[in-house]
Amino acid sequence: MLARPAGQRREAIEEGDLVIVYESHDRMKAVTVQSGQELNNRYGVFRHADWIGKPFGCKVTGKSGGFVHLLAPSPELWTCVLSHRTQILYIADISFIISYLELRPGCIVAESGTGSGSLTTSLARSVAPSGHVFTFDFHGQRADSARQDFIKNGLDGIVTVEVRDIQGLGFPDKLNGKVDAVFLDLPQPWLAIPSAVNALRSNGALCSFSPCIEQVQRSCETLQKYKFTEIRTFEVLMRRYEVREELLKLLQSEETNNGTWEPIKELFSSPPHKKLCSGMMKDVHSVANECTGSVLDTRDKDMSSRVPGLLMAKPLLETRGHTGYLTFALSYIG
Ligand SMILES: C[S@@+](CC[C@H](N)C(=O)[O-])C[C@H]1O[C@@H](n2cnc3c(N)ncnc32)[C@H](O)[C@@H]1O
């Protein structure tokens, strides 16, 4: 249940619950618990029946001794495990959208298109329990699959999915003047802006996600034409770090030959780590010398000295680059 307020989550796993089976940060799977069923993965065979009554977050061991963790679903985890029927929004953009649209419990949101429901799931948690998300996609099968996912996640009371061509028909009249925030992830978002004006209450907020700057330009022109204010465009980039303990071999600096000691360069020289690590070098160097103390006297020519267990932060290689631009604006109905 993704929409329960914090602190009201059930502790123990029950029959029929959705759990996120966590193997590693890049290997997770959503599983509905059904006693009688088994999960097979590279860590072994796991009986669902053994999970019932255990707390969310627990570690469970399979028949052959391998283990996985069973996590409670959250919108962030759902974005990691959902089946991609379209391009989806990720957590960097999602968190920025929720924050800049100032979403909170009780808000009414209109969204199009629904796509794979990655954003919708987070929108729903933000407005729950008293708000609502009306989400529209013109692709019937995608809308159906998203609806099934919302039911599976216990969000069906908070999200309504409809099949509708929002660029052609606009948002339905039933929403006129009722919506706190509109979100558009459409190929031609400017076509939906006139109806967004009708749907939004005065001072309501709009956000449009577009991968190309030409789409942003056309959207901004239309937003101006329809008297939106505070029009701002952002690009959100996220860099994730892996923190781990490294053994560092120390070498005398070749560049300066000034008698100081530095961790070997190869650890830092491969892109994309190079820029970051050159910035870190000073810190690593001072920690290294602190750790080694008198052993690493600058006159010591022993090149095999090592600093044990130095904690390192390295950016993950699969860091995402450009996804798109987020354009925000406020409606003003004078
Ligand atoms: C990139 S996906 C949206 C992904 C979504 N934001 C997510 O995080 O999962 C764009 C969706 O817009 C839908 N779409 C495209 N044109 C549309 C239109 N005119 N009216 C409604 N939906 C449309 C597509 O079917 C597609 O599912």
Side-chain angles (χ1 to χ4, degrees), residues 190-230:
W190 53 90
L191 296 178
I193 289 172
S195 81
V197 178
N198 297 333
L200 284 166
R201 60 169 177 74
S202 186
N203 262 328
L206 178 144
C207 175
S208 176
F209 174 89
S210 293
C212 305
I213 202 71
E214 291 79 7
Q215 293 167 300
V216 174
Q217 283 168 336
R218 286 197 70 167
S219 299
C220 287
E221 282 163 15
T222 310
L223 288 167
Q224 275 173 333
K225 185 173 157 200
Y226 282 86
K227 308 268 182 278
F228 277 81
T229 59
E230 305 217 18

Side-chain angles (χ1 to χ4, degrees), residues 86-89 111-120 136-139 142 164-168 183 185-187:
T86 59
Q87 294 273 13
I88 66 163
L89 291 181
E111 179 200 28
S112 186
T114 313
S116 305
S118 172
L119 174 69
T120 322
F136 302 88
D137 204 296
F138 72 171
H139 192 290
R142 271 180 212 151
R164 188 175 172 93
D165 174 3
I166 294 296
Q167 289 182 176
F183 180 82
D185 184 352
L186 292 169

